[in-house]
Amino acid sequence: MRTAVLIQARISSVRLPGKVLHPFGDGTILDRVYDRSARIPADLRPIVVTSTTADDDAIARHCATAGWPLFRGSLTNVLERFVSCATSAGVDVVIRVCADNPYVDPALSTALVGGIGPAHDYAGYRTPDGLPAIRTGAGVFAEVARTTALMRLLTADCGPMDREHVTWGLYSRPEFACHWVDTPAWLPETLRLTCDYRRDYDFLRDVNGRCGDASAADVVARLATDAPLAAAMARCRAEALAAAAA
């Protein structure tokens, strides 16, 4: 079983264009995501998976400077991009990481890789109310999928959500077998460490200033004792919820 972390990245974010190359700590958000992804045990180095559009030439240049593996494919059919990358690299199991999650947690991700069995197409965390955790704004989760399952989904009658969100069809269709892991008890359902909006970015830079390259558990512990930081996160979450309801 050959494994690799595939980091999904693009410049043309609607809410915060170019965010993955925004300054963060000593580098960029993408640098932090790559460094943390490299701590997830896998057979290959993490591969940055971006599009062939001119916008994403900036990501390609950044990867070339850093010496990272890069794959480029369709901008709109991200599922196809992932399948093409995985098959070209000979990867059997994909560990999908989003490039706007600078606090993606290696320990949580490692547990998923160890949990996917021969009969499983997908492995992921889910919240106490049954929601796939990757769909929350927590920003600390990866997810794991078999390349053969992604190929089946791509050749099936997949819709726009499947093509955009890669794994959507794996956990929403009964023909795919999922291995679910409950989110840890220490992780609050209100956690928001993803970067969608400018407010998120400013908040995450503040988190980095206070916590550095800390584990998700250590960031949660800091939030529990730092009222101003927790209040800033609550404002980020409120903005995201209001935008989703609009």
Side-chain angles (χ1 to χ4, degrees):
M1 185 176 77
R2 198 178 197 201
T3 57
V5 178
L6 304 190
I7 302 172
Q8 181 177 327
R10 64 169 178 157
I11 290 294
S12 56
S13 167
V14 174
R15 301 182 187 98
L16 186 59
K19 62 185 176 182
V20 299
L21 296 183
H22 280 15
F24 195 80
D26 295 330
T28 65
I29 288 179
L30 183 57
D31 289 315
R32 175 62 62 81
V33 172
Y34 195 94
D35 288 347
R36 291 175 76 95
S37 297
R39 299 175 210 160
I40 303 169
D43 297 305
L44 301 179
R45 295 174 66 200
I47 304 170
V48 177
V49 184
T50 193
S51 85
T52 55
T53 64
D55 282 348
D56 289 326
D57 289 349
I59 290 176
R61 289 191 295 269
H62 192 85
C63 291
T65 299
W68 300 335
L70 172 73
F71 184 88
R72 303 185 75 171
S74 171
L75 173 66
T76 55
N77 192 337
V78 190
L79 173 59
E80 180 185 70
R81 193 196 314 168
F82 266 69
V83 168
S84 298
C85 177
T87 54
S88 67
V91 172
D92 302 303
V93 173
V94 168
I95 305 157
R96 177 175 174 255
V97 168
C98 294
D100 55 2
N101 290 338
Y103 282 97
V104 61
D105 194 78
L108 292 173
S109 305
T110 300
L112 277 186
V113 178
I116 190 167
H120 299 132
D121 297 308
Y122 174 88
Y125 285 92
R126 65 180 171 187
T127 66
D129 60 0
L131 179 69
I134 199 71
R135 289 172 54 189
T136 71
V140 299
F141 298 108
E143 53 185 349
V144 179
R146 291 194 179 277
T147 301
T148 51
L150 294 173
M151 292 171 67
R152 284 164 51 204
L153 181 60
L154 181 62
T155 55
D157 185 23
C158 63
M161 293 295 288
D162 301 318
R163 292 189 289 271
E164 180 181 354
H165 297 287
V166 183
T167 58
W168 180 280
L170 298 186
Y171 55 73
S172 63
R173 298 183 181 215
E175 62 264 36
F176 294 101
C178 297
H179 170 67
W180 292 110
V181 178
D182 292 335
T183 52
W186 53 262
L187 194 146
E189 291 187 59
T190 55
L191 184 66
R192 183 172 177 83
L193 295 174
T194 195
C195 185
D196 274 341
Y197 299 93
R198 180 74 200 195
R199 186 189 296 272
D200 292 328
Y201 173 62
D202 293 339
F203 163 67
L204 288 166
R205 292 187 75 183
D206 196 7
V207 171
N208 184 66
R210 302 185 194 202
C211 302
D213 187 16
S215 68
D218 286 344
V219 173
V220 168
R222 178 60 187 257
L223 285 163
T225 60
D226 190 327
L229 197 63
M233 184 180 72
R235 289 191 291 271
C236 290
R237 187 167 185 270
E239 179 181 9
L241 289 173

